Amino acid sequence: MFNGRRWAVRGQRILLRTSRVFGDVEQVARCMANYGDDIVQYADRASVSRASIVALAIASTGCTNPAPHAGAMRAGPMAVRASVCTALNPTLNHADCMLRMNLVPSASIQTAVRYISSATMRRMHHNDPIKLAAAYYAGSLRRTRLNA
């Protein structure tokens, strides 16, 4: 469960389990209508489950693009942290990353998929949807002598 939403991934399908019976299918359909082209493009290019990306977007923001606000640390429909964006895009500073991900939602999706598909993250989640979600929310979990 993430952000109050219980979910699972089976193949390329997402299963949402919430107390609200209505809205789950509509939420996935709305997410794909709004961002499906970008999700398909970036997930397929990186060999990441499309359903996992949709599930993360729904758990992170309800698959919406929240309005930017002062002091925000995350941006776009994937709620990507500015630190992740600047790490993957060294030519952009914190403010530019936040602005780009808020104004261009596909930038948030692309950055999230690049992060998820990085070698470090793949070693952590092995494309297992639950581990992928945990790694995405916890951040880069580098192996140290404390967690080995």
Side-chain angles (χ1 to χ4, degrees):
M1 180 179 308
F2 289 98
N3 204 24
R5 292 179 177 92
R6 192 178 296 277
W7 60 274
V9 173
R10 196 167 289 140
Q12 286 291 349
R13 303 195 75 164
I14 179 172
L15 307 172
L16 294 175
R17 300 181 189 110
T18 66
S19 58
R20 297 179 333 181
V21 174
F22 67 90
D24 294 345
V25 173
E26 290 87 4
Q27 195 169 28
V28 172
R30 189 171 45 253
C31 187
M32 288 304 288
N34 291 337
Y35 306 114
D37 292 342
D38 294 322
I39 290 169
V40 169
Q41 175 187 352
Y42 298 123
D44 288 358
R45 187 183 299 163
S47 298
V48 173
S49 165
R50 297 173 188 171
S52 292
I53 303 304
V54 172
L56 288 172
I58 290 171
S60 298
T61 65
C63 203
T64 62
N65 192 14
H69 62 279
M73 298 300 292
R74 298 170 182 261
M78 297 296 294
V80 177
R81 290 186 311 272
S83 59
V84 169
C85 178
T86 55
L88 294 173
N89 303 286
T91 59
L92 298 175
N93 63 31
H94 175 95
D96 290 341
C97 271
M98 294 297 285
L99 184 64
R100 180 175 174 224
M101 288 190 297
N102 275 312
L103 296 179
V104 184
S106 66
S108 171
I109 296 165
Q110 180 185 29
T111 302
V113 172
R114 285 179 60 203
Y115 176 61
I116 290 165
S117 65
S118 69
T120 301
M121 292 299 283
R122 280 199 193 272
R123 282 191 298 274
M124 301 309 273
H125 62 68
H126 303 287
N127 289 327
D128 177 285
I130 300 302
K131 290 179 183 175
L132 188 150
Y136 184 74
Y137 286 106
S140 182
L141 302 172
R142 290 188 174 80
R143 193 175 198 100
T144 67
R145 63 182 174 79
L146 298 174
N147 67 8

Coordinates of all heavy atoms in Angstrom, one line a residue, residues 121-129 131-132:
M121 N 19.2 1.0 -9.3 CA 17.8 0.7 -8.9 C 17.4 -0.7 -9.4 O 16.7 -1.4 -8.6 CB 16.8 1.7 -9.4 CG 17.0 3.1 -8.8 SD 16.7 3.1 -7.0 CE 14.9 3.1 -7.0
R122 N 17.8 -1.1 -10.6 CA 17.4 -2.4 -11.1 C 17.9 -3.5 -10.2 O 17.3 -4.6 -9.9 CB 17.9 -2.6 -12.5 CG 17.0 -2.0 -13.5 CD 17.2 -2.6 -14.9 NE 16.6 -1.8 -15.9 CZ 15.4 -2.0 -16.4 NH1 14.6 -2.9 -15.8 NH2 14.9 -1.3 -17.3
R123 N 19.2 -3.3 -9.6 CA 19.7 -4.3 -8.7 C 18.9 -4.4 -7.4 O 18.9 -5.4 -6.8 CB 21.2 -4.0 -8.4 CG 22.2 -4.4 -9.5 CD 23.6 -4.3 -9.0 NE 24.0 -2.9 -8.7 CZ 24.5 -2.0 -9.5 NH1 24.6 -2.3 -10.8 NH2 24.8 -0.8 -9.1
M124 N 18.2 -3.3 -7.1 CA 17.4 -3.3 -5.9 C 16.0 -4.0 -6.1 O 15.6 -4.7 -5.2 CB 17.2 -1.9 -5.4 CG 18.5 -1.2 -5.1 SD 19.6 -2.1 -4.0 CE 19.1 -1.6 -2.5
H125 N 15.4 -3.7 -7.2 CA 14.1 -4.2 -7.4 C 13.9 -5.4 -8.4 O 12.9 -6.1 -8.3 CB 13.1 -3.1 -7.8 CG 13.4 -2.4 -9.1 ND1 13.3 -3.0 -10.4 CD2 13.9 -1.1 -9.4 CE1 13.6 -2.2 -11.3 NE2 14.0 -1.0 -10.8
H126 N 14.8 -5.7 -9.2 CA 14.7 -6.8 -10.2 C 13.4 -6.9 -10.9 O 12.9 -7.9 -11.1 CB 15.0 -8.1 -9.4 CG 16.3 -8.2 -8.8 ND1 17.5 -8.3 -9.4 CD2 16.6 -8.1 -7.4 CE1 18.5 -8.2 -8.6 NE2 18.0 -8.1 -7.3
N127 N 12.8 -5.7 -11.2 CA 11.5 -5.6 -11.8 C 10.4 -6.2 -11.1 O 9.3 -6.4 -11.6 CB 11.6 -6.1 -13.3 CG 12.4 -5.3 -14.2 OD1 12.4 -4.0 -14.0 ND2 13.1 -5.9 -15.1
D128 N 10.5 -6.5 -9.8 CA 9.4 -6.9 -8.9 C 8.6 -5.6 -8.6 O 9.2 -4.7 -8.0 CB 10.0 -7.6 -7.7 CG 8.9 -8.0 -6.7 OD1 8.3 -7.1 -6.1 OD2 8.6 -9.2 -6.7
P129 N 7.3 -5.6 -8.9 CA 6.6 -4.3 -8.7 C 6.6 -3.8 -7.2 O 6.7 -2.6 -7.0 CB 5.2 -4.7 -9.1 CG 5.4 -5.9 -10.1 CD 6.6 -6.6 -9.6
K131 N 8.9 -4.4 -4.9 CA 10.3 -3.8 -4.6 C 10.5 -2.6 -5.4 O 11.2 -1.7 -4.9 CB 11.3 -4.9 -4.9 CG 11.3 -6.1 -4.0 CD 12.3 -7.1 -4.4 CE 12.3 -8.3 -3.5 NZ 13.2 -9.4 -4.0
L132 N 10.0 -2.5 -6.6 CA 10.2 -1.3 -7.4 C 9.6 -0.1 -6.7 O 10.2 1.0 -6.6 CB 9.6 -1.5 -8.8 CG 9.8 -0.5 -9.8 CD1 9.8 -1.2 -11.2 CD2 8.8 0.6 -9.8

